[in-house]
Amino acid sequence: MSILSKKTGTSPGSLVYIGQGGEHPVEMVHFSYDLDNLDLKTFSFQDVPRPDQDRKNLILVFGVHEMEPIRAVGQRFQIHPLILEDIVNTKHRPKLDRSEEHIFLTMKTCLWADQDQGVRLDQVSFILTGSTLVCFLENRDVFPDEFQKRLAEKQGRLRSMDIDYTLYALMDLFVDNFFLALEKLEDQLDLLEEEMVEQPREEHLQKIFQIRRTISAIRQTVWPMREILSSILSRNEDLFGQKTRVFFRDLYDHCQQIMDSLELQRELNTSLHEVYLSLISHRMNTVMKLLTIIATIFIPLTFIAGIYGMNFEYMPELSWPAGYFICLGFMAAIGLGLVGFFKLRRWF
């Protein structure tokens, strides 16, 4: 049964977790900072902090499979139930919504699992309101450790620029994960090509289809993300400050590079499929050619054996003392002659 069927019959705004996570309890962290100070505090959903309006605030929620923490954060920041519903639905398409109180943005990031499972796509959702950014992550391992190190640096842009730059910085790190996954996919395609040329096997075809599905899933994720960034950069949108829009333009370029790389890898994957079919066909033709040569050699020998296997009373060769050896020699001469002829024509 599809996990999406969990929402069947529920009212709009009902919080039903749609996803594959939920192995670890929900964790929540609050970063409160300005140019000079940085405070870090973990909290529970019973004690959601009230942001300091004089400082920038980053609230990280690791895990969206428990509804009480999501409701508590939603009540604190007056997040609409329909947006909370999108946050806990990790199969949701990336999108950008704007209201009078806040900006809601949801996107995907990916991690390379292993060669068998390929990439894992995780949802990341943002709520930007005032000087506070709330980030909901499906799993903790998608959050990069280097971000906290950058936040601790007083000389970095994270401490000096507005909170919308923090949103960009996180989005940039999550988008960069796609480049790492594409490098792994490219290595897999190169290795697959080498193995196929040496000896094509059925598991190679299964691997080709798996990589094709992975490329398609990443493309369906990055394509709407590129449209979101295009909307942010359009002249009709003033969601972010001019200083930050420059960085979002660079992020748009990254998404475009990912799309270009996906197109190249999809073409390479299609070419590998064609190469696999060609190699299998070539190997089959080689086998059929060898069997045809063997059958051609034995056809005249079978004909001779069939003649002397008939039960006629008057066959003068049967009474010859050397008839058996003469017949064998004649058959051997025919067989060797055919082999020499095929060799001369370079048929094998």
Side-chain angles (χ1 to χ4, degrees), residues 53-67:
Q53 299 300 327
D54 297 328
R55 307 175 74 182
K56 293 183 278 286
N57 300 272
L58 172 62
I59 296 178
L60 301 175
V61 180
F62 299 108
V64 294
H65 54 280
E66 297 178 11
M67 298 303 102

Side-chain angles (χ1 to χ4, degrees), residues 106-117:
T106 182
M107 61 175 293
K108 301 287 185 181
T109 186
C110 69
L111 288 179
W112 182 260
D114 52 44
Q115 292 187 356
D116 295 329
Q117 298 181 0

Side-chain angles (χ1 to χ4, degrees), residues 57-259:
N57 300 272
L58 172 62
I59 296 178
L60 301 175
V61 180
F62 299 108
V64 294
H65 54 280
E66 297 178 11
M67 298 303 102
E68 288 301 325
I70 304 300
R71 289 192 183 96
V73 174
Q75 291 174 0
R76 169 64 71 189
F77 296 99
Q78 299 180 350
I79 304 174
H80 197 279
L82 291 177
I83 293 180
L84 294 178
E85 182 182 12
D86 292 340
I87 291 174
V88 298
N89 181 5
T90 61
K91 304 302 179 183
H92 205 285
R93 188 176 186 268
K95 72 172 186 177
L96 173 68
D97 281 339
R98 180 183 183 182
S99 66
E100 295 180 358
E101 296 81 13
H102 52 250
I103 296 171
F104 170 64
L105 189 150
T106 182
M107 61 175 293
K108 301 287 185 181
T109 186
C110 69
L111 288 179
W112 182 260
D114 52 44
Q115 292 187 356
D116 295 329
Q117 298 181 0
V119 300
R120 190 192 81 203
L121 295 174
D122 278 18
Q123 178 167 292
V124 182
S125 301
F126 300 96
I127 298 290
L128 181 62
T129 173
S131 61
T132 301
L133 176 64
V134 185
C135 178
F136 299 87
L137 301 104
E138 188 174 356
N139 292 286
R140 201 189 195 317
D141 55 357
V142 301
F143 184 75
D145 295 333
E146 60 268 19
F147 182 81
Q148 186 170 344
K149 298 178 182 178
R150 289 172 54 186
L151 193 59
E153 297 176 358
K154 292 185 178 181
Q155 304 301 323
R157 292 192 183 94
L158 283 172
R159 300 281 287 273
S160 61
M161 296 188 67
D162 294 335
I163 192 65
D164 55 356
Y165 180 83
T166 304
L167 171 61
Y168 154 76
L170 284 171
M171 292 177 63
D172 182 60
L173 289 172
F174 293 139
V175 168
D176 286 345
N177 288 339
F178 285 99
F179 287 105
L180 300 177
L182 290 178
E183 288 180 2
K184 296 290 187 179
L185 281 177
E186 186 176 358
D187 293 339
Q188 273 201 343
L189 288 172
D190 292 339
L191 180 61
L192 191 60
E193 183 178 15
E194 295 177 1
E195 293 179 353
M196 282 173 47
V197 171
E198 182 178 351
Q199 180 65 41
R201 299 187 299 272
E202 185 176 354
E203 52 264 29
H204 290 153
L205 184 61
Q206 297 175 356
K207 194 67 178 178
I208 288 173
F209 288 141
Q210 178 185 350
I211 294 176
R212 179 181 298 178
R213 289 192 296 269
T214 300
I215 292 174
S216 178
I218 295 177
R219 188 177 186 275
Q220 292 175 2
T221 296
V222 178
W223 181 275
M225 189 64 216
R226 188 181 64 171
E227 299 303 314
I228 290 173
L229 292 169
S230 176
S231 174
I232 292 175
L233 296 172
S234 65
R235 296 180 179 179
N236 297 328
E237 294 286 355
D238 56 350
L239 301 179
F240 306 102
Q242 290 297 325
K243 293 182 179 179
T244 308
R245 286 166 63 90
V246 176
F247 295 97
F248 277 108
R249 187 175 295 110
D250 180 69
L251 189 59
Y252 176 85
D253 294 338
H254 289 177
C255 288
Q256 185 62 49
Q257 292 176 18
I258 294 173
M259 291 298 299

